[in-house]
Structures are given as structure tokens and as C-alpha cells.
Amino acid sequence: MEIGFGNGEHLAHFAARHPDWGCIGAEVHAPGVGALLQRLEAGSIDNVRVLHGDAMAWIETLPPALFALIVIQFPDPWPKKRHHKRRLLQEASAKRLADLLVPGGELQFATDWEPYAQHALTVLDATPSLENLAPGGGFSPPPENRIPTRFERRGEALGHQVFDLRFRRRPG
Ligand SMILES: C[S@@+](CC[C@H](N)C(=O)[O-])C[C@H]1O[C@@H](n2cnc3c(N)ncnc32)[C@H](O)[C@@H]1O
């Protein structure tokens, strides 16, 4: 499951490489949904379902232990302090996302906004049902499935470093 897939570059790529996986992505921005649908049609990719809407409201309606992988890449950083509460990853949403993972399932998060990366690390570290997959804790090397997206390229052009986090749902 990918939250905020943008124009669907990563989701379409992932689904094409994993035809035996059932994939789902949520995106609020209609042109992004259209771009993903075009990619899926062009690639004859038929293992993706799409939610056009607010992923954070939708995940509240789901039963636990649904997903083997949850991906959030380059979420809106909301750099101003008064907007921090709008960030997708917060204490409560981290717990909810962890509940949606099957035991052993993985949450992947990437951002080029360092303060958000530090916030995400703090929040995920504080989620008891998650364990950090980075040896020794902290940030991870990029997962092999992550490909450069439009927002990563934009960050790179601005000279930003990219921070990856990989956490696993503990058993039980
Ligand atoms: C900065 S863009 C990154 C897009 C893509 N992941 C990438 O790396 O290119 C963040 C995306 O998250 C989407 N988004 C923000 N809040 C969302 C929500 N609550 N539910 C679904 N999508 C959301 C935005 O519409 C936007 O397309």
C-alpha cells in the first residue's frame, strides 16, 4: 500500500515488478490518479487498486494486519512549525499504520526534508509494535524497490539529502 503516490511512478514500477502482489495506492490529487491509471494501462499492469481520496481517513476504516508493505515517499514536508500537525506521520498515525501491517510487514518512509526525517525517526522509534531495520538504529540505505521519483529529483536538484527509514512490525 502506498500513501500519496504522486504521479504513480513508484507504484506502477513496483506492481510491474511484483505481478503476484496485490497493490493499492491512495492519492488525493486527481491528476496524479490519472497519471497512475495511464501508466497502468500502458504497462498492462492489472494488480493495482486505486483510492482517489484521503488515505488517512481511509485507513481508519480498515481492519488490522492487512498489508505486507506500506510505503510513504516524499510526503509533503509542511516545514512551518504551525503546520507540523498536518504531516502524515504523527504518533497516532504511526500506531495505526503499524496495526495495518502483518507481523513481519514493513513500513518504508523517505523524505528529503531533514527535520521531517528526524521527526519520523522519533515517532517510529516510539511505536512499540515497530522495530527499526537499520543495523544500530537510525536511517537505512534505500530499499531496493525505491526508484527516483519526481519529488526525489526535485530534492536532489535543490541539493537535499534523502533519508530512508525502514521499520518492521514485530510478531504478535
Ligand atoms: C510531495 S508529493 C510526493 C509524491 C510521490 N510520493 C513522489 O515521491 O513523487 C506528496 C503527495 O502526497 C499526496 N497526499 C498528501 N496527503 C495525502 C492524503 N491524506 N492522502 C492521500 N494522498 C495525500 C499529495 O497529493 C501529493 O501527491
Side-chain angles (χ1 to χ4, degrees):
M1 190 261 279
E2 181 166 347
I3 294 178
F5 56 73
N7 64 17
E9 280 169 294
H10 172 264
L11 185 52
H13 175 83
F14 184 95
R17 286 187 59 190
H18 299 87
D20 52 332
W21 283 51
C23 305
I24 189 161
E27 173 56 61
V28 284
H29 190 53
V33 173
L36 172 64
L37 294 177
Q38 282 181 346
R39 286 176 199 281
L40 299 180
E41 186 163 351
S44 301
I45 301 164
D46 63 2
N47 56 331
V48 181
R49 300 292 177 268
V50 181
L51 177 90
H52 178 202
D54 177 1
M56 305 322 277
W58 170 62
I59 63 173
E60 292 301 325
T61 68
L62 300 176
L66 267 189
F67 301 116
L69 176 64
I70 298 176
V71 173
I72 305 175
Q73 291 183 354
F74 304 93
D76 298 312
W78 298 110
K80 291 183 182 155
K81 190 158 192 224
R82 69 175 187 278
H83 291 153
H84 284 183
K85 57 182 179 298
R86 299 186 188 176
R87 288 177 172 168
L88 287 183
L89 203 58
Q90 308 283 356
E91 205 177 308
S93 61
K95 186 174 176 315
R96 180 75 197 128
L97 292 170
D99 288 345
L100 290 175
L101 287 171
V102 297
E106 186 175 330
L107 174 62
Q108 297 178 352
F109 180 93
T111 181
D112 64 333
W113 189 249
E114 186 169 2
Y116 197 0
Q118 295 293 351
H119 165 81
L121 176 60
T122 303
V123 162
L124 295 175
D125 268 340
T127 305
S129 56
L130 292 177
E131 63 180 330
N132 194 340
L133 287 172
F139 298 103
S140 281
E144 64 81 36
N145 59 282
R146 196 161 71 64
I147 55 162
T149 62
R150 178 170 160 229
F151 282 89
E152 174 163 4
R153 289 189 292 273
R154 195 174 77 168
E156 272 176 1
L158 293 168
H160 294 174
Q161 186 185 341
V162 174
F163 300 87
D164 282 276
L165 289 167
R166 299 179 68 177
F167 278 72
R168 179 166 56 202
R169 164 89 204 198
R170 295 180 199 275

